[in-house]
Amino acid sequence: MRSQVLPAQDREPALHLPPRHPPGPARNFLFHVAQIYVDDELNLPIRYEAYDWPAEEGGKPQLTEEYTYLNLKLNNGFTDADFDIRNPNYQFKSK
């Protein structure tokens, strides 16, 4: 795996990690190629792209999913109750 530093949009430079699986049947893999960008300042992933195997030999891998995280705020003071479905403030209906 080769990595390089690339500028991220409106952010500090990010480390780019491109994992790649071999061509052929996808028996044990969920993707052929992924692009992962890790923010140098936060040391957190800020972008992820996953590509499927090309439809035909010599073709381009097909984008299947992508996520970009902008304006991250860390240590917001959340508690376990903020992630609890039984929290009465959320007014979830019970089954």
Side-chain angles (χ1 to χ4, degrees), residues 25-79:
R27 288 179 271 220
N28 298 320
F29 303 114
L30 298 176
F31 60 86
H32 172 52
V33 178
Q35 306 291 329
I36 303 169
Y37 299 86
V38 179
D39 184 274
D40 282 348
E41 182 182 327
L42 300 173
N43 201 28
L44 293 171
I46 56 170
R47 181 160 174 80
Y48 173 82
E49 304 166 6
Y51 295 83
D52 206 354
W53 283 261
E56 54 190 49
E57 190 172 332
K60 287 186 171 186
Q62 301 298 306
L63 180 66
T64 57
E65 60 183 314
E66 64 180 326
Y67 307 96
T68 301
Y69 304 96
L70 302 171
N71 304 317
L72 295 176
K73 295 178 183 175
L74 306 177
N75 301 321
N76 289 297
F78 295 127
T79 67

Side-chain angles (χ1 to χ4, degrees), residues 1 9 23 28 48 52 59 64 83-84 95:
M1 175 168 54
Q9 186 177 26
N28 298 320
Y48 173 82
D52 206 354
T64 57
F83 299 94
D84 190 340
K95 293 182 181 182

